[in-house]
Amino acid sequence: MKHDVDIALTAIAPLVWGSTYYVTTEFLPAGYPITMAALRALPAGLLLLVLARQLPQGIWWIRAFVLGALNFTVFWTLLFVAAYRLPGGVAATVGAVQPLIVVFLAAMLIGTTVKVSAVIAALTGIFGVGLLVLGSGVSLDPIGLLAGIGGAVSMGAGTVLTRKWQAPVPLLTLAAWQLSAGGLLLMPLAYLFEPALPPLNSQIFTGIAYLTLIGAALTYILWFRGISRIEPGAVSALGFLSPLSAVVIGWMLLGQALTFTQIAGAAVVLTAIWLGQRAGRISPPVLSETAHSHLNPKGECS
């Protein structure tokens, strides 16, 4: 029962992330992927940091910036590039390789077993999102595709390292460190490579506020909670809910076609998520939210 609750709470994050593509194209100005990523990460990180009231110690200064770069700086920049250059459902689906990446990275970095069932779940999910893409009937921009795949690799590495290093702090604090670090790394990149933003109107402000408070601060607390309690491959398999959410939102709010092939793809994706959770059920959680009690003066687990 407890495991099912962990899965349900973690699943909220990718379901919300599927709305990123709709919000980006309908509320935000085009041509500012790095700036939008920075405005999403840094305010959320600073808000959580005020609530957490705890800065990294020792080795965790470096680790926070490494994780912040993988999970936010690189991932979100490429995510927005994909969102600007591809239809929402397609942009979400090209990251479908992430669960497969996580399965093998977890085996190399934290010694988990490469389970046949986990690989089958990942490949099933890739096939399912492939049906979603093929069923959309749109041309695919190669830069957008590469950005989506690169983002999946970056977040996959961030997911595994988050589990490997097991931050000895509450989940809110871990999210605060990573979002703040990722946002700080994004700010100079936005200044160097993108023009100044146009004046912020109520529409742009609403979009940024949603992505910051709901799409970042709330969802990443739930996501890191899931990483700490559920086997990495099973957590990553929940990411298939993001393209499913994006396709449904595109159909409901933008009037995008939903073909029989896409419906079949959605069924395959849900099957892949179910297989991924079955593959991960035998792996016990290794990190408690109260693990900060084991923090030694160097900021490491004792």
Side-chain angles (χ1 to χ4, degrees), residues 2-290:
K2 186 174 181 295
H3 185 76
D4 293 335
V5 172
D6 291 337
I7 291 173
L9 290 174
T10 307
I12 293 173
L15 285 172
V16 171
W17 294 338
S19 67
T20 298
Y21 309 95
Y22 169 76
V23 174
T24 298
T25 56
E26 300 300 312
F27 287 81
L28 304 181
Y32 299 90
I34 304 175
T35 302
M36 290 299 104
L39 290 176
R40 184 181 181 184
L42 190 56
L46 294 178
L47 173 63
L48 294 182
L49 201 59
V50 169
L51 297 175
R53 297 183 180 181
Q54 183 177 357
L55 292 174
Q57 298 180 40
I59 190 70
W60 274 98
W61 279 104
I62 297 174
R63 289 179 175 178
F65 274 90
V66 170
L67 294 175
L70 291 171
N71 286 325
F72 301 110
T73 306
V74 177
F75 172 60
W76 274 358
T77 297
L78 296 177
L79 177 74
F80 277 108
V81 170
Y84 283 128
R85 303 183 74 99
L86 296 170
V90 178
T93 59
V94 294
V97 295
Q98 182 189 325
L100 195 60
I101 293 168
V102 167
V103 167
F104 290 101
L105 280 179
M108 290 187 293
L109 296 179
I110 60 179
T112 60
T113 303
V114 178
K115 303 172 187 173
V116 174
S117 55
V119 174
I120 291 174
L123 292 174
T124 302
I126 293 171
F127 175 70
V129 297
L131 292 177
L132 286 170
V133 172
L134 293 174
S136 65
V138 298
S139 58
L140 303 180
D141 179 84
I143 295 177
L145 288 173
L146 289 174
I149 294 171
V153 173
S154 180
M155 190 177 181
T159 297
V160 174
L161 286 177
T162 298
R163 177 66 176 248
K164 175 180 173 64
W165 287 336
Q166 298 180 25
V169 293
L171 298 169
L172 185 145
T173 304
L174 176 62
W177 291 355
Q178 293 195 40
L179 282 163
S180 299
L184 288 173
L185 292 173
L186 283 162
M187 291 301 289
L189 294 177
Y191 178 79
L192 289 172
F193 295 108
E194 293 182 353
L197 275 175
L200 298 183
N201 55 33
S202 58
Q203 176 178 298
I204 297 174
F205 182 79
T206 299
I208 293 173
Y210 172 81
L211 292 179
T212 298
L213 299 176
I214 307 299
L218 173 62
T219 55
Y220 274 93
I221 290 175
L222 295 175
W223 187 250
F224 292 141
R225 180 185 184 277
I227 291 174
S228 72
R229 293 165 178 259
I230 306 170
E231 193 269 339
V235 175
S236 192
L238 292 173
F240 288 131
L241 289 170
S242 181
L244 191 59
S245 171
V247 168
V248 171
I249 290 171
W251 171 61
M252 293 179 62
L253 301 182
L254 298 176
Q256 295 175 353
L258 188 62
T259 67
F260 175 79
T261 302
Q262 288 180 295
I263 294 172
V268 174
V269 165
L270 291 174
T271 301
I273 294 170
W274 178 76
L275 290 172
Q277 303 320 303
R278 282 181 59 86
R281 275 185 180 274
I282 63 172
S283 298
V286 297
L287 176 61
S288 165
E289 290 188 36
T290 58

